[in-house]
Amino acid sequence: MYNIPKLSIVGAGPGDPELITIKAVKALQSAQVVLYDALINRELLEYAPQAKHIFVGKRKDKHRYSQDEINELIVKYALEQGHVVRLKGGDPFIFGRGSEEIDYARSKGLETAVVSGITSSIAVPANVGIPLTKRGVSESFWVITGTTSKRKLSADVKLAAQSTATVVILMGMAKLAEIVEIFSGFGKQDIPVGIIQNGTTLNERFGFGSIKDIEKVVEDKQLSAPAIIVIGEVVKESHYLQAVVQNLQALPKTSKVRISQIDAA
């Protein structure tokens, strides 16, 4: 049987293996090769037992493959095997370089598809009871990368610090001191801050404070990357919503067996 060379960029969600979409599961079930990132839950690979699994993840200063090499692997395996799933944490189009991989694959004549994932920028705060918006508290939110391609803090942080919006910063732990300095410079020393490490996973840890003391909170609780930084008045809501979130988490979980039995598209 001839397999048409195809790339599917698939969002794996924020870490909890149950926070993956049915469409993503179907893509994994039909894959011949899965190229997966560092932050995806390895349990998800069980949905593709027939596929070759290749780790291509990047962590701080530790890259198994460069982006150019990943692009070449996508094309190589698609031409040799057929359907390649590029499994990426969160949503592949939120700081995930998914669009770059799609562009490259199309330039080489591959069929392409995208399966959105639940982004950590929304799901991780929600998991500890932080609503990014709430009537009368926050009308909007920013999602900003803490580290740009030039390894600098995004200039958008300074713009966001001047707004009343909730600010969510991904990949920003190494730049926390700079973030604190920027918000303090605009007189926002007392604005609430929440930091969630390994959000939605069994290893989830978090700390709450304000701009003026969040660095001490991080030190005391020994929080580190990967973590999400949430800045804004809505962080206060977490204390009121914790009981609600815990009650929801106590409900029986969806059977993974049922999901795994979904027919591949």
Side-chain angles (χ1 to χ4, degrees):
M1 178 179 175
Y2 176 69
N3 292 312
I4 298 175
K6 178 180 179 179
L7 167 66
S8 292
I9 301 286
V10 176
D16 182 340
E18 294 188 353
L19 292 178
I20 190 169
T21 66
I22 293 174
K23 191 168 187 176
V25 170
K26 289 181 176 180
L28 286 167
Q29 289 174 336
S30 67
Q32 274 78 50
V33 178
V34 179
L35 304 179
Y36 65 95
D37 276 350
L39 294 181
I40 71 108
N41 192 305
R42 301 302 193 274
E43 288 183 31
L44 298 179
L45 298 175
E46 296 175 19
Y47 291 124
Q50 76 294 340
K52 183 180 182 68
H53 303 158
I54 302 172
F55 175 69
V56 294
K58 304 184 189 77
R59 299 299 288 268
K60 184 180 179 183
D61 301 324
K62 295 180 181 179
H63 292 188
R64 183 74 174 268
Y65 295 96
S66 69
Q67 187 60 52
D68 288 342
E69 289 172 330
I70 292 172
N71 291 343
E72 291 170 3
L73 286 175
I74 288 170
V75 174
K76 166 184 163 62
Y77 283 112
L79 294 175
E80 292 178 356
Q81 304 290 332
H83 186 198
V84 173
V85 164
R86 180 73 173 93
L87 191 61
K88 305 170 79 69
D91 181 274
F93 281 3
I94 306 295
F95 308 129
R97 306 189 74 169
S99 60
E100 297 173 40
E101 293 170 355
I102 285 285
D103 290 343
Y104 187 83
R106 286 177 175 170
S107 75
K108 300 299 181 180
L110 271 59
E111 181 181 330
T112 61
V114 178
V115 180
S116 296
I118 297 176
T119 174
S120 60
S121 59
I122 295 173
V124 168
N127 199 57
V128 296
I130 300 175
L132 297 188
T133 64
K134 184 178 180 181
R135 185 183 300 185
V137 180
S138 175
E139 299 173 354
S140 60
F141 61 91
W142 295 61
V143 179
I144 307 172
T145 178
T147 306
T148 68
S149 59
K150 296 182 179 179
R151 315 306 297 173
K152 303 290 185 181
L153 180 67
S154 171
D156 285 346
V157 173
K158 184 175 289 187
L159 297 175
Q162 299 174 65
S163 75
T164 59
T166 304
V167 181
V168 181
I169 302 176
L170 310 183
M171 300 173 288
M173 289 297 283
K175 303 290 193 300
L176 183 59
E178 292 180 56
I179 294 167
V180 166
E181 183 178 1
I182 288 170
F183 276 82
S184 297
F186 289 104
K188 295 191 173 181
Q189 295 90 339
D190 295 323
I191 196 168
V193 182
I195 293 181
I196 309 103
Q197 177 183 337
N198 296 318
T200 79
T201 73
L202 295 176
N203 298 321
E204 179 178 86
R205 300 170 61 226
F206 49 83
F208 297 98
S210 63
I211 286 292
K212 65 186 176 187
D213 64 12
I214 193 62
E215 290 179 279
K216 183 65 164 56
V217 171
V218 167
E219 181 182 354
D220 290 346
K221 292 185 173 289
Q222 298 184 325
L223 299 175
S224 61
I228 288 179
I229 303 168
V230 186
I231 304 170
E233 294 299 326
V234 291
V235 173
K236 293 179 182 176
E237 301 297 321
S238 178
H239 302 290
Y240 301 106
L241 295 182
Q242 275 297 317
V244 175
V245 173
Q246 289 168 359
N247 287 338
L248 288 174
Q249 292 174 336
L251 293 174
K253 293 190 173 183
T254 304
S255 170
K256 184 175 172 182
V257 174
R258 289 182 59 194
I259 297 176
S260 66
Q261 292 172 341
I262 297 169
D263 291 334

